[in-house]
Amino acid sequence: MPTSPLLSLPGAVAAEAPDAGVAAHYGDPLREQRRLEAGEGFVDLSHHDVIKVSGPDRLSWLHSLTTQHLIGLKPHEATLTLVLSPHGHIEHALYGVDDGEAFWAHLEPGEAPALVEFLDRMRFMLRVEVADVSADFAIMHEAGAGDAPEDVLVRETAYGRELFLPRERLERYGREHVHPAGMWAYEALRIAAYRPRLGLETDHRTIVHELGLIDTAVHLDKGCYRGQETVARVHNLGRPPRRLVFLHLDGTPEALPEHGAPVELAGRQVGFVTSSVRHHELGPIALALIKRNTAVDAELLAGGVPATQEVVVPA
């Protein structure tokens, strides 16, 4: 993915992987957090991949392949749906919206080629076309609810809206809008809201119950799809092997625990840190994936940093 032209805005500092190509911040990440929380400003998500699925069979076809109920999805209604492995592990997360003629979705950086390849294999004789349009369209997150361009598809969410902006308009967008915020600010609000992110809160064996995605990304009363047996079995019997947890970190150490840092209880590893950040009100915080039966009141060490838990997924 090419470097965003918004990195030329004043104060921009480039982010590192997995957010390479856009800004980590524009000089004051804590102030950027506060503005986003107040409904002001925008975040450049142009490093995200974008796919487009067109054709009259698109919604019923995607309904049969993914976790969400998509038949009858209304135009401009936002949805989150997942592609699972045959064993129920999360492979792709599609942040989607249908414009009445095509289903559009953005994905984590670098995800589109593998997803498009999978979807192409599953087309058979159905009237659908799948395209990776990442080179032509970019995602822009807006915290507020002002007027959006009429010719741009918008995905409205509880935490802001996402514009599927033609990539050729990125530079002009940056010039015409105020209060840019970088990925550090965006991630701080995401982590504080317990929203998991593919590739950070997931690994090769993550199932939906571990992340608390049943209510937001899975429809339990629909027909068969790949990985459904695991979803149904764990839903009916309970006891997923791990659970997502929110951590309040001790503010004494200067460094935050990195992604993958061990989470320990009494000298024994019980999980790993998935994301960490400094929040403008909460201080240093993190998400982690830990063994389900870890006591919810246990004090943990996250990358060597003392940490207390808030329950995200019940034990």
Side-chain angles (χ1 to χ4, degrees):
M1 186 60 62
T3 298
S4 171
L6 273 65
L7 279 173
S8 64
L9 292 178
V13 175
E16 299 179 351
D19 297 316
V22 297
H25 61 86
Y26 294 88
D28 193 343
L30 296 182
R31 186 180 185 187
E32 293 164 25
Q33 284 183 41
R34 289 191 289 268
R35 280 179 169 162
L36 288 181
E37 205 167 55
E40 301 174 357
F42 64 91
V43 181
D44 181 5
L45 299 180
S46 63
H47 60 314
H48 280 211
D49 284 2
V50 181
I51 68 162
K52 177 183 178 182
V53 183
S54 54
D57 297 329
R58 66 190 181 280
L59 291 179
S60 59
W61 178 62
L62 289 169
H63 177 94
S64 71
L65 295 174
T66 70
T67 59
Q68 193 60 272
H69 195 292
L70 298 177
I71 295 176
L73 181 70
K74 297 177 181 178
H76 308 293
E77 180 181 346
T79 189
L80 167 60
T81 190
L82 309 173
V83 173
L84 306 181
S85 76
H87 298 293
H89 302 133
I90 300 173
E91 291 189 342
H92 301 284
L94 287 72
Y95 296 85
V97 62
D98 196 88
D99 66 4
E101 297 181 353
F103 179 87
W104 299 71
H106 68 89
L107 321 163
E108 287 295 325
E111 289 290 311
L115 176 60
V116 169
E117 181 182 3
F118 165 72
L119 292 176
D120 274 337
R121 292 201 311 268
M122 305 302 293
R123 281 192 307 164
F124 305 114
M125 300 298 291
L126 295 173
R127 298 168 298 170
V128 292
E129 295 291 336
V130 184
D132 178 354
V133 294
S134 308
D136 300 316
F137 288 88
I139 303 301
M140 192 64 61
H141 170 84
E142 292 185 341
D147 294 335
E150 294 184 358
D151 59 344
V152 173
L153 179 63
V154 176
R155 181 177 180 270
E156 297 280 358
T157 76
Y159 48 90
R161 65 186 183 190
E162 297 157 354
L163 278 59
F164 288 74
L165 189 70
R167 195 167 286 276
E168 62 193 20
R169 292 163 61 174
L170 271 177
E171 187 173 0
R172 176 182 171 186
Y173 181 97
R175 292 197 309 266
E176 295 180 348
H177 291 75
V178 296
H179 305 321
M183 290 303 301
W184 286 6
Y186 183 83
E187 285 289 277
L189 301 192
R190 176 187 72 80
I191 293 168
Y194 309 160
R195 295 200 312 270
R197 180 176 173 185
L198 189 78
L200 293 180
E201 277 64 55
T202 65
D203 58 18
H204 66 284
R205 58 192 179 97
T206 304
I207 61 175
V208 294
H209 304 77
E210 296 176 329
L211 302 184
L213 288 172
I214 285 292
D215 294 334
T216 57
V218 179
H219 195 285
L220 292 170
D221 300 319
K222 58 172 282 188
C224 184
Y225 55 90
R226 191 167 77 156
Q228 185 199 30
E229 290 185 3
T230 298
V231 173
R233 181 173 66 252
V234 177
H235 180 71
N236 291 326
L237 300 179
R239 300 182 180 275
R242 302 178 297 183
R243 61 183 176 90
L244 186 69
V245 64
F246 178 83
L247 299 178
H248 290 274
L249 303 173
D250 187 301
T252 304
E254 292 186 5
L256 293 167
E258 296 182 354
H259 171 74
V263 175
E264 298 171 302
L265 173 61
R268 179 174 59 93
Q269 183 169 350
V270 294
F272 65 94
V273 174
T274 59
S275 302
S276 63
V277 73
R278 296 190 187 278
H279 190 275
H280 72 98
E281 284 187 345
L282 301 174
I285 57 175
L287 293 173
L289 204 56
I290 64 174
K291 291 183 178 180
R292 176 188 55 80
N293 58 4
T294 304
V296 297
D297 58 351
E299 292 194 5
L300 307 171
L301 285 179
V305 179
T308 57
Q309 304 177 53
E310 280 188 19
V311 174
V312 176
V313 176

